[in-house]
Amino acid sequence: MQKTLETDDKPAAKLDFRTARDKYRHWSVSIDGPVAKLIMAVDEDSPFASGYELKLNSYDIGVDVELYDAVQRLRFEHPEVRTVVLISGIDAMFCAGANIRMLGTSSHSHKVNFCKFTNETRNAIEDASRNSGQIYLAALNGTAAGGGYELALATEYLMLIDDGNAAVSLPEVPLLAVLPGTGGLTRLVDKRKVRRDLADVFCTVEEGMKGKRAVDWRLIDETVPRSKFDERVSEKALELAALSDRPEGEAGIMLDRLERSVEDNEIRYPFVTVSLDRDGRSATLDIEAPGSDAPADVDEIKRQGVDFWPLAVIRALDDALLHLRFNEATLGTLIIKTSGDGDRIAAYDALLDANRDDWLVREILLYMQRTYKRLDVTSRTTFAFIEQGSCFFGMLADLLFAVDRSYMLDGQLDDRPAAEIQLSEQNFGTLRMSNGLTRLETRFLDDHETLGNVHKLIGKRLDAREALQAGLITYAPDDIDWEDEIRLLLEERASFSPDALTGMEANLRCAGPETLETKIFGRLSAWQNWIFQRPNAAGTEGALKLYGTGKRAKYDRGRV
Amino acid sequence: MQKTLETDDKPAAKLDFRTARDKYRHWSVSIDGPVAKLIMAVDEDSPFASGYELKLNSYDIGVDVELYDAVQRLRFEHPEVRTVVLISGIDAMFCAGANIRMLGTSSHSHKVNFCKFTNETRNAIEDASRNSGQIYLAALNGTAAGGGYELALATEYLMLIDDGNAAVSLPEVPLLAVLPGTGGLTRLVDKRKVRRDLADVFCTVEEGMKGKRAVDWRLIDETVPRSKFDERVSEKALELAALSDRPEGEAGIMLDRLERSVEDNEIRYPFVTVSLDRDGRSATLDIEAPGSDAPADVDEIKRQGVDFWPLAVIRALDDALLHLRFNEATLGTLIIKTSGDGDRIAAYDALLDANRDDWLVREILLYMQRTYKRLDVTSRTTFAFIEQGSCFFGMLADLLFAVDRSYMLDGQLDDRPAAEIQLSEQNFGTLRMSNGLTRLETRFLDDHETLGNVHKLIGKRLDAREALQAGLITYAPDDIDWEDEIRLLLEERASFSPDALTGMEANLRCAGPETLETKIFGRLSAWQNWIFQRPNAAGTEGALKLYGTGKRAKYDRGRV
């Protein structure tokens, strides 16, 4: 059944991020030894929502959900794959980018969420290449335009077929009056170091560039005659594979379909429950500690597969965040809680730490890192409530430093164990933010003394006063004040303008250095969001709306 | 006569940035030895435009133009001043920030331009403290709210009077549904290293904070009882003065009123002429080389004062950029040209370089740096045309690396000398961008080999082909193509959406590392611009519009 895309008047169809290879409509995967081909052949008659066709390998959120799934599965299910070749399965077109009619008809909110998710997926591709030994190569066997070229820019090597036609281009500015906002502008100048004046030219030439000039300008790495294209792609793929440190002779673990039940006010996953408070406009994510002790060794982790507690939790958290972003826009506050035995988490942390060089453990930690980053850039207020019986230990303690504020109960409201938190080595290196720092380094920016003192607390159970003293939590209300304080906090937050909070949080969360990722989320996306609000792009006579109608957009000529 | 503020339907009153101390309505300056007091006492009945009163030391563009002028004059006219104390001249209120009614009634474009200019002035304050030995101290003798506290954040030391009432606050989010966008969010977490969760709390507490907690949270440096306030301010001012390297026994140079004539299609300054092409929607800034040889020594520079060619050019360029930004919004393309004897510029460069430790030469170079940065963040397309008889040498050659593209004539159209450019040491250290790099380092990001090769070209006249070969210009059309190419270029650029160009240029211009300044312009401002477009703030029922009416703003509850 055809879904309806969210517009400014209509709510969105519910989006489900769970899929699997045998359900793909737009992508396929073929694996030959160390090389996987990830083949894009978008079914133009299967858009996510009605109202547009996915011509010319253009994409919408449905296409990108499959890409995200494919990238994840290659990492976990295929330890043997060392190079991933992104290639088109249709004739003469690699990818035409985001579907323009979809952009022209969807709501501001959908556009912003869609762009954020596509950015995260492209970052995940870079993460695979750089940290996971699964190196991506763009085999551009046809034109890569707009978001199609931006997808290619997320790979480490771009080969363009020389067939007299195929080109790379970023025609957003001249054609659509929007930005190449899926990392394109940033990756041109900051990743590929394209000279800024040449980048300016390139971004205003609708038809793009090809051949020697595209190589000279660093837009691509290589141009290859049609007759030699397949051979050269294979050769380069094997060359990149040789650089990889992926393991030999290991079996992958299957990402079985994530179990979940979605009720109106509750979503349940293994180890994660999301409670929705629609009147209070908040959602509470409750993470349960493992129900049994940590496995003895890495072999046992592999036997457990997706049931291995850290992986199960991260998969659930990832899905929950995406679900809330796309399907529950009015729940402006996310509350994170935990429950269970913290010592068990400490034992899981120790197990992960001791086996961090194992390919699967590395994948799990990288996935945790990506998911925590997804929380960082989620445009909702995030609070952590540290209550009795909670277990913000080690990898879960890092969530305390991801949220906007944390509240820890100083006292007893019932018979459960008093609230305690505990740090582990995970908080000091494994889980980095997009700015390249750990969350504690960002929290205590340039304050090496405090950071050193906090490091000494590893493995020590901290009560509310100790945690407050160490600067690890925001507030520690006592048992008399707790309920009132929490209630007032949530009411107050819900009374503020959601937009102002989004802007405020986006700025306060990102102290410290900047990277490609932070530039894409903080700078490029903010400008794109602004443009998405401007009549020149999104008005009834704006370029996005009129594209394909043959009518010319009318622009307000004032420069702002 | 009362002016009219630009609204979304009405054009702005022309804004003149030239003023002088005896014309100030809102500020006064008193100097006592090495300490200057810069006293804010806003005349509420003298707003820049009609429709609002400047109560509680709130400011509008008129107030900030005076502040900008005062900061400049202190640097140039008072070499003896080593500490500048920012203080209020009205009772119990340091500054209430930008006037809210002015924000609520002004156009999007005015808001954006206003915020950019106020940000530049606050950056200039930091520049004075850090690079010019004129250290700013905020003596908060009353509440500093919103933009008032942001102004204080631009100083190096914040003292707050302890009178039971005075507080510092950023109430924008809870009260107005906009951001503390004049650097506030960025300076909290990145300059003062306020912990992000505490910053989150602080930015949502309307009434702000004071006393010990404000110190503990790093919001201020010191709280001082009322009875000891004046004494302690004096003491601290002298303490900071002792850190300064400003000279002893030197006379300042007076910033006499900048001469200019403004006609409908032309603005003339000494050494700079701006020609406005309203049909083509562009403005050409033509910079003339000095008419005589460089002075023999630094004493002669001081005798020439504002007539010293580099200072005269920079003052004109600064004023022209501000004039075009505020008064000529539809001229979307700025073209930079030069004319005259390049060897003379090389001689001026050598003179500046040889005397860079002199306080006045340092001021001139810092002012040049600030003005070039103003060009970097000006939301207009910038092109340089290097024609016959031009003189893009040294300090003027840096403009070639500031613009979006440069075109150099390869051939002869008339009898004037062929186009040539020449580098000097100025291009390799003196003139840094907001990202902390020189424009050439940004242009050849991380490409040390090319940068090394370019360095070897210092002092060598380069023709179009050599300049192109070295990567110093974008294009070198020949004499047959020149006119057509330039005409088509300008027509094409004028056909694009101004908003999309603004967003594109903001992203392509800032490759490389980020700093407080780039974060403020690239990230914070982009989010603020987005919010300024959103109904929750700027709609008819938005918080900015309804402030002071007693009505409650209506918010769309969707999170984007």
Side-chain angles (χ1 to χ4, degrees):
Chain A
M1 200 189 70
Q2 193 75 71
K3 296 187 181 72
T4 312
L5 196 66
E6 182 189 50
T7 66
D8 281 314
D9 337 296
K10 277 183 302 192
K14 293 276 184 199
L15 187 54
D16 189 344
F17 288 82
R18 297 171 307 161
T19 184
R21 257 187 223 157
D22 59 4
K23 296 189 175 167
Y24 294 172
R25 291 160 178 261
H26 310 295
W27 293 88
S28 58
V29 179
S30 82
I31 294 173
D32 181 8
V35 177
K37 277 194 177 161
L38 188 44
I39 304 157
M40 185 178 201
V42 174
D43 177 3
E44 64 180 57
D45 299 322
S46 296
F48 170 70
S50 57
Y52 56 93
E53 292 174 332
L54 294 172
K55 292 193 175 166
L56 298 170
N57 256 8
S58 65
Y59 59 84
D60 66 359
I61 186 70
V63 177
D64 228 61
V65 165
E66 292 183 8
L67 173 61
Y68 173 60
D69 185 78
V71 172
Q72 286 283 90
R73 286 182 192 280
L74 282 167
R75 296 175 77 151
F76 281 96
E77 300 182 354
H78 295 280
E80 79 279 13
V81 167
R82 294 161 172 245
T83 307
V84 182
V85 177
L86 273 180
I87 194 162
S88 167
I90 71 168
D91 203 37
M93 174 57 75
F94 174 73
C95 169
N99 187 275
I100 298 165
R101 206 164 145 69
M102 176 278 292
L103 285 178
T105 55
S106 61
S107 69
H108 182 66
S109 158
H110 182 80
K111 281 198 278 288
V112 171
N113 264 319
F114 168 71
C115 289
K116 188 178 283 175
F117 178 72
T118 55
N119 270 316
E120 288 171 318
T121 302
R122 279 128 197 89
N123 289 345
I125 286 174
E126 275 176 348
D127 180 52
S129 292
R130 291 166 183 197
N131 301 317
S132 170
Q134 209 163 63
I135 304 166
Y136 278 70
L137 160 66
L140 306 178
N141 51 345
T143 285
Y149 178 52
E150 291 181 291
L151 176 57
L153 283 172
T155 72
E156 303 304 298
Y157 198 87
L158 281 71
M159 309 173 75
L160 177 63
I161 196 167
D162 178 7
D163 63 359
N165 280 313
V168 295
S169 67
L170 290 176
E172 285 87 343
V173 168
L175 213 58
L176 303 168
V178 299
L179 301 185
T182 314
L185 295 176
T186 313
R187 286 201 175 86
L188 275 187
V189 293
D190 272 304
K191 181 181 182 184
R192 297 194 60 90
K193 326 267 186 203
V194 175
R195 237 173 57 203
R196 52 166 286 202
D197 55 340
L198 304 181
D200 181 282
V201 173
F202 176 63
C203 293
T204 58
V205 175
E206 264 179 52
E207 66 276 17
M209 290 182 188
K210 59 192 174 190
K212 184 171 178 304
R213 188 163 67 157
V215 176
D216 288 347
W217 286 25
R218 307 196 195 198
L219 303 170
I220 57 173
D221 294 291
E222 190 178 345
T223 172
V224 185
R226 173 188 281 276
S227 61
K228 294 187 180 154
F229 190 75
D230 293 348
E231 184 192 332
R232 179 67 192 130
V233 168
S234 299
E235 187 180 89
K236 186 72 200 177
L238 290 172
E239 187 188 317
L240 292 176
L243 304 173
S244 168
D245 63 353
R246 302 280 286 183
E248 304 273 358
E250 287 261 1
I253 66 151
M254 298 306 292
L255 297 180
D256 298 336
R257 186 169 171 81
L258 179 65
E259 290 171 55
R260 73 171 196 198
S261 67
V262 179
E263 310 289 332
D264 193 37
N265 292 316
E266 192 177 84
I267 307 159
R268 283 192 168 275
Y269 304 88
F271 304 111
V272 175
T273 304
V274 186
S275 313
L276 315 180
D277 175 1
R278 296 186 187 285
D279 293 337
R281 292 199 292 276
S282 70
T284 302
L285 292 90
D286 204 325
I287 304 173
E288 277 169 63
S292 54
D293 287 343
D297 56 25
V298 76
D299 290 339
E300 179 58 22
I301 295 176
K302 286 167 187 173
R303 270 191 294 277
Q304 291 187 7
V306 289
D307 298 324
F308 179 57
W309 177 82
L311 183 53
V313 165
I314 288 305
R315 289 186 82 200
L317 195 57
D318 191 17
D319 189 78
L321 288 174
L322 290 171
H323 176 86
L324 290 167
R325 274 195 201 166
F326 275 87
N327 301 322
E328 298 289 354
T330 61
L331 304 180
T333 302
L334 306 187
I335 299 154
I336 299 180
K337 296 185 182 184
T338 55
S339 57
D341 181 353
D343 286 337
R344 283 213 173 113
I345 295 170
Y348 273 83
D349 258 352
L351 175 71
L352 292 173
D353 213 43
N355 294 285
R356 60 171 63 209
D357 293 333
D358 175 77
W359 77 271
L360 177 61
V361 172
R362 179 171 74 179
E363 282 306 334
I364 292 168
L365 289 171
L366 288 171
Y367 186 22
M368 191 179 300
Q369 178 167 279
R370 290 196 302 283
T371 304
Y372 283 19
K373 285 182 187 179
R374 209 193 279 290
L375 180 64
D376 292 331
V377 299
T378 292
S379 62
R380 310 290 166 97
T381 293
T382 52
F383 292 144
F385 295 158
I386 311 161
E387 300 173 331
Q388 286 177 251
S390 66
C391 55
F392 284 101
F393 277 46
M395 63 182 102
L396 293 190
D398 228 61
L399 292 167
L400 300 176
F401 320 127
V403 296
D404 297 311
R405 299 188 203 174
S406 55
Y407 288 74
M408 185 164 180
L409 174 63
D410 177 19
Q412 298 273 138
L413 290 165
D414 56 38
D415 292 342
R416 288 178 298 166
E420 290 179 321
I421 67 171
Q422 186 172 302
L423 301 179
S424 80
E425 285 292 351
Q426 303 287 12
N427 310 116
F428 293 86
T430 321
L431 299 169
R432 291 186 182 274
M433 298 174 64
S434 289
N435 65 5
L437 304 184
T438 64
R439 287 182 181 75
L440 284 174
E441 285 168 341
T442 306
R443 185 176 185 85
F444 304 116
L445 193 62
D446 300 338
D447 181 355
H448 303 290
E449 191 188 331
T450 301
L451 205 60
N453 289 336
V454 164
H455 189 260
K456 293 180 195 140
L457 300 176
I458 286 180
K460 184 173 177 330
R461 285 172 173 265
L462 306 172
D463 65 22
R465 284 173 207 201
E466 291 165 326
L468 189 69
Q469 179 64 31
L472 297 171
I473 58 168
T474 315
Y475 282 117
D478 65 22
D479 44 348
I480 298 169
D481 293 337
W482 178 263
E483 279 191 24
D484 276 349
E485 194 146 330
I486 295 299
R487 183 177 50 78
L488 289 170
L489 170 71
L490 295 175
E491 284 174 10
E492 183 194 64
R493 201 74 173 191
S495 75
F496 297 149
S497 161
D499 302 326
L501 289 174
T502 291
M504 181 184 88
E505 291 153 5
N507 281 282
L508 294 181
R509 288 176 185 174
C510 65
E514 301 244 0
T515 63
L516 204 58
E517 285 187 21
T518 66
K519 282 188 169 190
I520 289 170
F521 288 121
R523 174 189 288 270
L524 181 55
S525 299
W527 282 106
Q528 181 79 304
N529 293 355
W530 175 69
I531 287 168
F532 277 157
Q533 285 279 296
R534 299 280 293 161
N536 286 354
T540 48
E541 294 189 305
L544 264 189
K545 295 278 186 196
L546 293 186
Y547 182 77
T549 63
K551 288 184 207 156
R552 242 183 122 83
K554 285 201 181 150
Y555 295 145
D556 178 340
R557 292 296 168 187
R559 267 283 195 143
V560 175
Chain B
M1 201 188 70
Q2 192 74 72
K3 296 189 181 70
T4 313
L5 197 66
E6 184 190 49
T7 66
D8 282 315
D9 337 297
K10 276 184 302 192
K14 293 276 183 196
L15 187 53
D16 189 343
F17 288 82
R18 297 172 307 162
T19 185
R21 258 188 223 157
D22 59 5
K23 296 188 175 168
Y24 294 172
R25 290 159 178 262
H26 310 294
W27 293 89
S28 57
V29 180
S30 81
I31 296 174
D32 181 10
V35 178
K37 278 194 176 163
L38 189 43
I39 304 156
M40 185 178 200
V42 175
D43 176 4
E44 63 180 59
D45 299 322
S46 297
F48 170 70
S50 56
Y52 56 94
E53 292 174 332
L54 294 173
K55 293 194 174 166
L56 298 171
N57 256 8
S58 65
Y59 59 83
D60 65 359
I61 186 71
V63 177
D64 228 60
V65 165
E66 292 183 9
L67 173 60
Y68 173 59
D69 185 76
V71 172
Q72 287 283 88
R73 285 182 193 279
L74 282 167
R75 296 175 78 151
F76 281 96
E77 300 182 353
H78 295 281
E80 79 280 13
V81 168
R82 295 161 171 244
T83 306
V84 182
V85 178
L86 273 178
I87 195 163
S88 166
I90 71 167
D91 202 38
M93 174 58 74
F94 173 73
C95 169
N99 187 275
I100 298 165
R101 205 164 146 68
M102 176 277 293
L103 285 178
T105 54
S106 61
S107 68
H108 182 66
S109 158
H110 182 79
K111 282 197 278 289
V112 171
N113 265 320
F114 168 70
C115 290
K116 188 178 284 175
F117 178 72
T118 55
N119 271 316
E120 289 171 318
T121 302
R122 279 128 196 88
N123 290 345
I125 286 174
E126 275 177 348
D127 181 51
S129 292
R130 291 167 182 195
N131 301 318
S132 169
Q134 207 161 66
I135 305 167
Y136 278 70
L137 161 66
L140 306 177
N141 51 343
T143 285
Y149 178 51
E150 291 180 292
L151 175 59
L153 284 171
T155 72
E156 302 305 298
Y157 197 87
L158 281 71
M159 310 174 75
L160 176 64
I161 197 166
D162 179 7
D163 63 359
N165 280 313
V168 295
S169 67
L170 290 176
E172 286 87 343
V173 168
L175 213 59
L176 303 169
V178 299
L179 302 184
T182 314
L185 295 175
T186 313
R187 286 201 175 87
L188 276 187
V189 294
D190 272 304
K191 180 181 182 184
R192 296 195 61 90
K193 328 268 186 202
V194 175
R195 239 174 56 204
R196 52 166 286 203
D197 55 341
L198 304 181
D200 181 283
V201 173
F202 175 64
C203 293
T204 58
V205 175
E206 264 178 52
E207 66 276 17
M209 290 182 187
K210 58 192 175 190
K212 184 171 178 306
R213 188 163 66 157
V215 176
D216 287 347
W217 287 24
R218 306 195 196 199
L219 302 170
I220 56 173
D221 294 291
E222 190 177 346
T223 172
V224 185
R226 172 189 281 277
S227 61
K228 293 186 183 157
F229 191 75
D230 293 346
E231 185 192 331
R232 179 66 191 130
V233 168
S234 298
E235 187 180 271
K236 187 71 200 178
L238 289 172
E239 186 188 317
L240 293 175
L243 304 172
S244 167
D245 64 353
R246 302 280 286 183
E248 303 272 358
E250 287 260 2
I253 66 152
M254 298 307 292
L255 297 181
D256 298 336
R257 186 168 172 82
L258 180 65
E259 288 171 57
R260 73 171 196 198
S261 68
V262 178
E263 310 288 331
D264 193 39
N265 292 316
E266 191 177 83
I267 307 160
R268 282 193 168 272
Y269 304 88
F271 304 112
V272 175
T273 304
V274 186
S275 314
L276 314 181
D277 174 1
R278 296 184 188 286
D279 292 337
R281 291 199 294 276
S282 69
T284 301
L285 292 90
D286 203 323
I287 303 172
E288 278 169 63
S292 53
D293 287 343
D297 55 26
V298 76
D299 290 338
E300 178 59 22
I301 295 177
K302 286 168 187 172
R303 269 191 294 277
Q304 292 188 5
V306 288
D307 298 324
F308 180 56
W309 178 82
L311 182 54
V313 165
I314 288 304
R315 290 185 82 200
L317 195 57
D318 191 17
D319 188 78
L321 289 173
L322 290 171
H323 176 86
L324 291 167
R325 275 195 201 166
F326 275 87
N327 301 323
E328 298 288 353
T330 60
L331 304 180
T333 302
L334 305 186
I335 298 154
I336 298 180
K337 296 186 182 183
T338 55
S339 57
D341 181 353
D343 286 337
R344 282 211 174 115
I345 296 170
Y348 273 82
D349 259 351
L351 175 70
L352 292 173
D353 213 42
N355 294 287
R356 60 171 64 209
D357 293 333
D358 175 77
W359 77 272
L360 177 61
V361 171
R362 179 171 74 180
E363 282 307 333
I364 292 169
L365 290 171
L366 288 171
Y367 186 21
M368 192 179 299
Q369 178 168 279
R370 291 196 302 283
T371 304
Y372 282 19
K373 285 181 186 179
R374 210 194 279 289
L375 179 64
D376 291 332
V377 298
T378 292
S379 62
R380 309 291 166 95
T381 293
T382 51
F383 292 143
F385 295 159
I386 311 161
E387 300 173 331
Q388 287 177 252
S390 65
C391 54
F392 284 102
F393 276 45
M395 61 183 105
L396 294 190
D398 228 61
L399 293 167
L400 300 177
F401 319 128
V403 296
D404 297 311
R405 299 187 202 173
S406 55
Y407 288 72
M408 185 164 179
L409 173 64
D410 178 17
Q412 299 272 142
L413 289 166
D414 56 40
D415 292 342
R416 289 178 298 167
E420 289 179 322
I421 67 171
Q422 186 172 302
L423 301 179
S424 80
E425 284 292 350
Q426 304 286 13
N427 310 116
F428 293 87
T430 321
L431 300 168
R432 291 185 182 275
M433 298 174 64
S434 289
N435 65 5
L437 304 184
T438 64
R439 287 183 179 76
L440 284 174
E441 284 168 343
T442 306
R443 185 176 185 86
F444 304 116
L445 193 63
D446 299 338
D447 181 356
H448 304 289
E449 191 188 332
T450 301
L451 205 59
N453 289 336
V454 164
H455 190 261
K456 291 181 197 140
L457 300 176
I458 286 180
K460 185 173 176 333
R461 285 172 174 265
L462 306 172
D463 65 23
R465 284 173 207 201
E466 290 165 325
L468 189 69
Q469 178 64 30
L472 296 172
I473 58 168
T474 315
Y475 282 117
D478 65 23
D479 44 348
I480 298 169
D481 292 337
W482 178 263
E483 278 190 25
D484 277 349
E485 195 146 331
I486 295 298
R487 182 178 50 77
L488 289 171
L489 170 70
L490 295 175
E491 283 174 11
E492 183 193 65
R493 201 73 173 193
S495 75
F496 297 148
S497 162
D499 302 326
L501 288 175
T502 291
M504 181 183 88
E505 291 154 4
N507 281 281
L508 294 181
R509 288 176 185 174
C510 66
E514 300 244 1
T515 63
L516 204 59
E517 284 186 21
T518 66
K519 281 187 168 190
I520 288 171
F521 288 121
R523 172 189 289 269
L524 180 56
S525 299
W527 282 106
Q528 180 78 304
N529 293 354
W530 174 70
I531 286 168
F532 278 157
Q533 284 281 294
R534 299 281 294 161
N536 286 353
T540 48
E541 294 189 306
L544 263 190
K545 296 275 188 198
L546 293 185
Y547 182 77
T549 63
K551 288 184 207 155
R552 243 183 120 83
K554 285 199 182 153
Y555 294 144
D556 177 340
R557 291 295 170 189
R559 266 283 193 144
V560 175

